[in-house]
Amino acid sequence: MMKLPYPIKNIKYRYKLMILCVVAGLLPTIVVSVYMQHRMMEMVAKNEVGNMEGELQQAVYAIENQTQIYDSLIDYLSYSGDLREILSLEEELSFDTYLKYIEVADPLLQIPQIYHKEMKSITLYGKNILVEHGTTLAPLEVAKEKEWYPRDEKQFIRWYVDTARKKEVVVLRQFFDENKEVNAILAITLDYNKMFEPLDNIIDTNFSGIVWNESGQVIYSRNKIDKTYEEKDKITSINQIHETNETNAYVTVSMEETGWSFCYYTPKEWMNESVKHLMWENLPILAVCVLLLLVVSYLFSKRLVLKLEQLTQNMNQIHKGDRKVTVTTNSNDEIGVLITSFQRMMDEINYLISKVYEGKIKLQRTELKALQAQINPHFLYNSLSIINWKAIEAGEMEISKVTLALSTYYRTSLNKGEIITTMENELNNARAYLNVQLVIHDNNFSVIESIDEELLQMKVPKLILQPIIENAIDHGIDVSEKEEKWIKIELKKENNIAILSVEDNGCGMEQKKAEEIISYCSKGYGLKNVKERIGLIYQEECPITIESKEGIGTKVILRMKIHSEGNIYEASTT
């Protein structure tokens, strides 16, 4: 399974659920929005292409109507008897010929121009015509100099568009003799702008139009697209239509009579602008939907994990020592079952803790009473007193000193069966123990004391100092090879804390091993025993810390809070 990133893994479950809801809501919204925009672009493009096709069809239809008119007119003139009479005249210059030109040719070829304003001229070019007569008659040699003159083609009617100089459209009809050679041409010259005016009317700022003849040459081009599109979208050949279909939308129409191909196109980006504009208009609605999604997700996640958060807070309180269950529920879902199970578990734990603590306290008291019962104080004190007098009579002052120390030690240890004693008695007990140990160790170590007398009457549990001194001797002094050995007992007050410490300059040890001594199981009153007894009395863990460095020494520190009147009321865990 894929692991969550570290920052996400450690955020609150409520926010994880909220993120999940937001992502689950935004994902389909984004997909639908993108799909709708794509579909709208396709629909707009399809409608726009349909509109363009309709407009181009109308424009081409209008141009086609004009071409049919001129095709019909040139056919009509070609089969006119008067025109045939002109072409049958002898190749000579005479007055009769001139009269034919004026009376027949001029009316025949000039009258149509009155009804068709787009006509510039109608000219008949013939082999039998030797000189030009206005714009109506001219020698065939003059036609051969024109660009539109048909060199190899045998078709009767031909359309030609001049886009270079004069900007005009020419429709011409050829006449062949018996040898199938051209002996005359009838040409109608039309106004270029008038001819393509229907295309001009449909092409606006964002559209372009282009027309090719049957040879693929451009005979009309109009591009009003913005300059940013002008270079890449300007089409010069019919093959480029297929090359630009990714960037342009276009339609094409062909005319059979003229062989012209019409193309009407526009950049797709322009068509997409309307869709983008619509999307920008919909953005506020989308933003409101996202905001509502965030609010609903927050409220939903808050409501869903409320009990879970309360359970977590309750667990933290229990971790700090308050074992009271405050969270409740009446639901039967997974969280409800979890809370109910937690309540049952805490009830059982509280019951077991209470039972174990009470049992331990009773056991400790029983052990102390059994120990005290084994030792008859009067018999012990009388025996030690007799030994002391015998030692004095024999002049053995050192034996007398040890006997007195033992008497003091047991008197302070027994403490008349009481568990609580004063700090002064605890120090006297430690001194008596040290006097015996000094005799045993032949005074090979010294004892240093630094005592704050203000704390001597402070109430403390008995036998909390002697086990610490015993450990200092057994694990520090006895195993040290130093020439100068010492044990320092210090009692001082810092703020509202009484600090009792025992320090030695023995061999020391690693800090990790020193911390394990607190849990060391011994048969006597070890540090573990001191810790447990203070915990049982004050319902707290024993605040004992050990500082040790290998080769330098060890220091055991016991911190206890002081009551305002001088009595401790609980062991500190700080």
Side-chain angles (χ1 to χ4, degrees):
M1 293 179 64
M2 185 177 61
K3 294 183 178 180
L4 291 174
Y6 183 80
I8 297 178
K9 183 172 64 176
N10 292 315
I11 64 176
K12 289 186 176 181
Y13 185 74
R14 177 199 297 186
Y15 299 125
K16 289 181 182 177
L17 187 60
M18 180 178 173
I19 292 172
L20 178 62
C21 293
V22 171
V23 172
L26 283 180
L27 188 61
T29 303
I30 294 173
V31 171
V32 170
S33 298
V34 172
Y35 174 76
M36 290 298 295
Q37 183 179 10
H38 179 70
R39 289 293 298 163
M40 287 174 63
M41 287 182 178
E42 288 183 347
M43 291 176 63
V44 169
K46 185 176 181 180
N47 292 336
E48 191 63 39
V49 169
N51 294 334
M52 291 169 59
E53 187 174 7
E55 291 177 353
L56 182 62
Q57 287 282 9
Q58 292 180 358
V60 172
Y61 181 72
I63 295 174
E64 192 173 22
N65 286 339
Q66 294 185 52
T67 59
Q68 289 177 355
I69 292 174
Y70 303 127
D71 284 344
S72 299
L73 177 61
I74 203 168
D75 276 339
Y76 168 75
L77 293 175
S78 298
Y79 291 103
S80 170
D82 294 333
L83 188 64
R84 295 285 179 176
E85 185 180 352
I86 297 295
L87 293 176
S88 62
L89 294 174
E90 297 292 334
E91 296 182 15
E92 61 178 358
L93 294 174
S94 64
F95 183 73
D96 292 335
T97 303
Y98 179 72
L99 287 178
K100 288 287 184 182
Y101 290 169
I102 294 175
E103 294 176 357
V104 178
D106 288 349
L108 181 66
L109 301 180
Q110 289 179 356
I111 290 176
Q113 299 180 45
I114 298 175
Y115 300 101
H116 301 280
K117 301 298 182 182
E118 61 274 12
M119 284 187 186
K120 290 184 176 181
S121 64
I122 302 177
T123 306
L124 177 64
Y125 300 89
K127 283 185 178 180
N128 62 336
I129 301 174
L130 301 179
V131 295
E132 294 187 28
H133 177 70
T135 60
T136 56
L137 300 173
L140 185 61
E141 296 299 326
V142 175
K144 292 180 180 181
E145 297 175 0
K146 302 289 184 180
E147 293 182 0
W148 45 259
Y149 181 80
R151 310 293 178 185
D152 302 323
E153 299 181 13
K154 301 298 183 180
Q155 63 190 67
F156 288 96
I157 300 177
R158 182 174 182 267
W159 285 84
Y160 174 81
V161 180
D162 182 7
T163 59
R165 293 177 296 176
K166 296 182 179 180
K167 283 279 186 179
E168 58 187 15
V169 179
V170 179
V171 54
L172 53 98
R173 167 69 185 270
Q174 300 180 85
F175 298 87
F176 299 93
D177 57 16
E178 295 175 353
N179 298 324
K180 295 185 178 180
E181 293 182 359
V182 177
N183 65 348
I185 292 176
L186 178 62
I188 301 177
T189 303
L190 305 172
D191 185 273
Y192 180 90
N193 294 327
K194 291 287 186 181
M195 190 69 183
F196 292 102
E197 186 177 9
L199 274 180
D200 290 338
N201 293 335
I202 66 171
I203 298 175
D204 59 15
T205 307
N206 298 304
F207 293 85
S208 295
I210 190 167
V211 182
W212 299 272
N213 60 16
E214 63 276 10
S215 301
Q217 296 176 340
V218 177
I219 59 175
Y220 173 88
S221 176
R222 183 169 180 182
N223 189 340
K224 291 187 177 181
I225 299 177
D226 189 87
K227 289 184 179 180
T228 56
Y229 302 111
E230 185 173 358
E231 293 298 326
K232 67 176 183 179
D233 288 335
K234 191 171 183 180
I235 300 173
T236 58
S237 69
I238 192 168
N239 293 328
Q240 286 182 271
I241 296 178
H242 304 288
E243 297 174 5
T244 60
N245 59 358
E246 294 295 330
T247 57
N248 294 295
Y250 65 91
V251 291
T252 57
V253 176
S254 298
M255 285 178 55
E256 294 182 2
E257 291 80 1
T258 60
W260 295 346
S261 297
F262 296 80
C263 178
Y264 184 38
Y265 65 99
T266 185
K268 289 183 180 179
E269 291 186 20
W270 175 81
M271 291 192 300
N272 294 336
E273 285 298 322
S274 58
V275 179
K276 292 179 181 178
H277 180 71
L278 183 60
M279 289 299 295
W280 281 111
E281 289 182 349
N282 292 334
L283 273 181
I285 299 175
L286 186 61
V288 171
C289 293
V290 172
L291 182 61
L292 288 175
L293 179 62
L294 290 173
V295 173
V296 171
S297 300
Y298 175 77
L299 295 176
F300 174 75
S301 61
K302 181 179 179 181
R303 179 63 181 173
L304 194 61
V305 303
L306 178 61
K307 289 296 180 180
L308 194 59
E309 290 179 342
Q310 292 177 353
L311 179 61
T312 303
Q313 293 174 358
N314 200 174
M315 286 182 174
N316 291 333
Q317 292 174 358
I318 291 173
H319 179 71
K320 293 178 181 178
D322 184 5
R323 293 192 299 273
K324 184 179 180 181
V325 178
T326 58
V327 60
T328 59
T329 183
N330 56 1
S331 62
N332 294 320
D333 57 4
E334 286 81 357
I335 297 178
V337 172
L338 180 62
I339 293 174
T340 304
S341 300
F342 176 72
Q343 289 174 336
R344 288 199 299 265
M345 181 188 69
M346 286 308 303
D347 290 341
E348 293 179 3
I349 289 175
N350 288 332
Y351 171 74
L352 292 174
I353 288 175
S354 176
K355 186 176 181 180
V356 170
Y357 267 120
E358 290 176 358
K360 278 194 173 184
I361 291 172
K362 290 179 180 179
L363 180 61
Q364 290 283 346
R365 289 176 179 174
T366 303
E367 288 178 351
L368 285 174
K369 289 180 179 180
L371 180 63
Q372 291 171 351
Q374 290 177 359
I375 303 173
N376 190 323
H378 295 290
F379 176 76
L380 180 62
Y381 295 154
N382 289 336
S383 299
L384 290 174
S385 179
I386 291 172
I387 294 172
N388 180 43
W389 282 109
K390 291 295 183 181
I392 292 174
E393 288 179 358
E396 297 292 339
M397 300 308 297
E398 190 170 359
I399 296 175
S400 175
K401 181 180 178 182
V402 173
T403 304
L404 289 175
L406 282 173
S407 177
T408 302
Y409 174 74
Y410 282 113
R411 184 176 66 253
T412 54
S413 296
L414 295 174
N415 194 32
K416 299 179 182 181
E418 298 294 331
I419 297 176
I420 303 299
T421 186
T422 63
M423 182 63 75
E424 184 178 10
N425 287 338
E426 188 67 13
L427 287 170
N428 290 333
N429 178 266
R431 292 183 184 115
Y433 175 78
L434 283 168
N435 287 333
V436 175
Q437 289 291 340
L438 285 170
V439 173
I440 295 173
H441 288 79
D442 199 19
N443 292 309
N444 69 340
F445 67 91
S446 58
V447 179
I448 305 169
E449 291 187 5
S450 177
I451 307 300
D452 185 352
E453 295 184 358
E454 183 182 351
L455 301 175
L456 290 177
Q457 299 305 313
M458 184 178 69
K459 300 294 183 181
V460 295
K462 69 178 181 180
L463 295 178
I464 61 172
L465 184 57
Q466 182 271 332
I468 299 175
I469 295 174
E470 182 180 354
N471 277 336
I473 294 172
D474 293 343
H475 301 289
I477 298 299
D478 287 349
V479 296
S480 175
E481 296 181 358
K482 295 179 180 178
E483 294 183 0
E484 184 179 352
K485 305 176 184 179
W486 50 262
I487 293 177
K488 182 179 180 180
I489 303 172
E490 184 178 14
L491 177 63
K492 62 182 180 179
K493 180 181 178 182
E494 289 185 1
N495 297 327
N496 199 36
I497 303 295
I499 300 176
L500 179 62
S501 63
V502 177
E503 183 178 1
D504 67 79
N505 69 334
C507 62
M509 66 194 80
E510 294 181 356
Q511 183 64 31
K512 182 179 180 181
K513 184 177 180 182
E515 293 172 355
E516 293 176 352
I517 293 178
I518 299 177
S519 302
Y520 176 72
C521 296
S522 64
K523 295 181 180 180
Y525 288 98
L527 291 179
K528 182 175 182 293
N529 184 277
V530 174
K531 170 186 173 183
E532 290 179 351
R533 285 190 295 115
I534 293 180
L536 286 170
I537 295 172
Y538 299 105
Q539 302 296 310
E540 293 285 350
E541 290 293 327
C542 178
I544 296 178
T545 56
I546 299 180
E547 299 174 358
S548 183
K549 289 186 179 180
E550 193 170 359
I552 296 178
T554 304
K555 184 176 183 179
V556 180
I557 305 168
L558 177 61
R559 292 179 174 85
M560 295 171 287
K561 287 186 178 180
I562 305 173
H563 192 270
S564 59
E565 296 181 357
N567 300 323
I568 74 165
Y569 67 96
E570 63 176 348
S572 171
T573 57
T574 59

